[in-house]
Amino acid sequence: MFRAAADVDEATWARGRGWALCFGLMAEHHYGDTCGNGTNPVPASVGRRAVAEVLAQAHPDHVSG
């Protein structure tokens, strides 16, 4: 739905997925319990969600959750 509204070519969409993956991993690393300080769970969960969405698009058989 968002992709259709964005109306961008495949290369632009791929770069956007790369940025989402980058910032998602950084947020989880910095704010999450596993590697970070665990003091701010909201951006950590947003980061995990971004990573899950990117992986789901890269591998349609991947089940996010």
Side-chain angles (χ1 to χ4, degrees):
M1 185 168 173
F2 177 78
R3 184 176 183 174
D7 192 31
V8 296
D9 62 18
E10 186 61 35
T12 301
W13 191 255
R15 282 190 301 277
R17 285 193 322 262
W19 279 107
L21 182 62
C22 176
F23 284 101
L25 290 170
M26 286 191 300
E28 168 55 27
H29 177 76
H30 185 73
Y31 296 111
D33 290 329
T34 304
C35 296
N37 56 23
T39 59
N40 204 338
V42 174
S45 68
V46 171
R48 281 191 298 276
R49 174 70 186 264
V51 170
E53 291 294 324
V54 169
L55 294 177
Q57 281 190 13
H59 302 285
D61 294 333
H62 173 76
V63 178
S64 62

